[in-house]
Amino acid sequence: EKGGFDHFMLKEIADQPQAIADTLLGRLTDNGIALDEVRLSDQDLRDVEKVFIVACGTAYHSGMVAKYAIEHWTRIPCEVELASEFRYRDPILDRSTLVIAISQSGETMDTLMALRHAKQQNARVLAICNTNGSTIPRESDAVLYTHGGPEIAVASTKAFLTQLVACYLIGLYLAQVRGIMYPDEVGAVVRQLQQTPDLLRGLLDQMDPVRKLSRDLASARQVLFIGRHVGYPVALEGALKLKELAYMHAEGFAAGELKHGPIALIDDGTPVICVVPSSAMHDKVVSNIQEVRARGARTIVIAEEGDESVEAYADDVIRVPRVPTLLAPLMTTVPLQILACEIATARGYDVDQPRNLAKSVTVE
Ligand code: M6R
């Protein structure tokens, strides 16, 4: 069943190009997005004045990325919130609020309770879910399924990437229906999305440097992750993977926050994994990396192909294909998944069944 891989997690990482292709299948046209299956009328979507995304863990990280994309493409205010916090602060919700609940399993109790709360307040609820007929989509007004196939490993990998794809589709669809983006603008992003499975296949073939690196990092006392913009949720996701699989102290930070406290954690040789964007943020992140290096950090840089500036400040470089900024998490997350998996293996832990964790958390 593991298809020749040692762990389900490795198989599921390798499945990601196909999972993305399957999630896109039938939903793209030459000049836009076709989401007829989502049972919200175009009028409902035009009436949306505010978007809330609720989710837990890895799914929450996909929601953080989605916020950047949805606000950029639609200009609708969008907030992301941990499902376990959402209802306790009495959020302001009404008929014009779209609540997007993201869940691989569709059974996460915190997310379910958040969506029930949203429905009681008359908000419309759209689920992004990987499990057909599970509770969260059943209780939602509408659902967009990710077609990732069953995810067995406790650590979420292909669910994350397909959740990102589903979020992009919803963001673009909202922009299309509301006339915020022209069809050719939507079409341009659609074509870029269509290329991602092939780019990801190429990336997966080049992960030997990550495997080598994992042997070095297996004995580190802590590993820090930094990123900005959509690289920030990727940093959080990289740290979560390392915590849950390798039981190491790992933290993700928004790179701009370092100087407000976390930089004190850095001493000689502390590994800092840096997600570098190609966008407007590039030079800012580079100066954040120089700051940590000046304090002794070992800088492990995830940079796009063609970005030659890295040689000046990187102790190790991991290359990923160049894609538009908002889509970059589809690439930059993958080396971090492999790194966590390999470090856990090097430390002798059960990758598919980490201690203290369940695949689906059905209690609050
Ligand atoms: O099934 P869900 O997507 O609702 O699960 C949410 C989290 O429990 C889940 O993503 C968890 O954080 C993963 N184990 C992370 O790898």
Side-chain angles (χ1 to χ4, degrees), residues 55-60 102-108 111 136 151 153-157 159 163 237 240-241 244 357-361:
C56 303
T58 290
Y60 172 72
I102 309 177
S103 174
Q104 188 285 129
S105 62
E107 300 297 346
T108 299
T111 311
I136 287 172
E151 194 179 61
V154 165
S156 196
T157 55
Q163 283 158 358
E237 175 62 6
L240 177 61
K241 285 284 154 303
E244 73 176 333
L357 294 173
K359 181 64 186 161
S360 166
V361 184

Side-chain angles (χ1 to χ4, degrees), residues 29 72 96 130 151 155 181 192 199 295:
T29 64
H72 181 73
S96 66
N130 196 46
E151 194 179 61
M181 282 169 86
Q192 285 154 344
L199 293 174
R295 285 153 182 91

Side-chain angles (χ1 to χ4, degrees), residues 112-277:
L112 180 60
M113 296 312 278
L115 95 74
R116 284 185 182 159
H117 182 78
K119 285 195 76 177
Q120 275 161 10
Q121 313 288 311
N122 285 324
R124 294 173 205 272
V125 179
L126 167 64
I128 292 178
C129 186
N130 196 46
T131 311
N132 253 298
S134 55
T135 312
I136 287 172
R138 272 195 282 115
E139 293 203 13
S140 298
D141 297 307
V143 54
L144 182 64
Y145 281 108
T146 49
H147 294 156
E151 194 179 61
I152 310 289
V154 165
S156 196
T157 55
K158 61 179 177 175
F160 180 68
L161 293 202
T162 55
Q163 283 158 358
L164 292 179
V165 168
C167 290
Y168 295 140
L169 290 175
I170 287 169
L172 291 168
Y173 192 62
L174 275 168
Q176 173 182 303
V177 165
R178 295 161 71 99
I180 309 289
M181 282 169 86
Y182 292 115
D184 57 331
E185 293 174 304
V186 176
V189 186
V190 161
R191 279 186 289 285
Q192 285 154 344
L193 274 172
Q194 278 170 320
Q195 288 166 14
T196 57
D198 277 345
L199 293 174
L200 208 50
R201 277 185 202 101
L203 175 63
L204 285 164
D205 284 341
Q206 288 166 27
M207 288 291 96
D208 282 345
V210 178
R211 289 185 194 97
K212 249 174 61 209
L213 189 67
S214 66
R215 291 193 280 277
D216 279 13
L217 299 193
S219 55
R221 213 166 35 84
Q222 60 171 350
V223 181
L224 306 181
F225 295 74
I226 60 173
R228 289 182 95 124
H229 192 260
V230 292
Y232 169 42
V234 171
L236 295 179
E237 175 62 6
L240 177 61
K241 285 284 154 303
L242 201 54
K243 285 177 215 175
E244 73 176 333
L245 296 174
Y247 319 147
M248 286 168 88
H249 180 244
E251 290 295 329
F253 300 108
E257 268 298 291
L258 280 174
K259 57 185 173 300
H260 300 292
I263 201 162
L265 286 168
I266 292 173
D267 59 12
D268 230 19
T270 303
V272 181
I273 301 188
C274 316
V275 185
V276 179

Side-chain angles (χ1 to χ4, degrees), residues 300-322:
I300 298 148
V301 172
I302 311 218
E304 296 197 327
E305 279 153 13
D307 177 357
E308 295 312 329
S309 69
V310 292
E311 309 300 337
Y313 53 82
D315 294 308
D316 305 88
V317 182
I318 298 164
R319 292 289 179 183
V320 292
R322 195 183 184 92

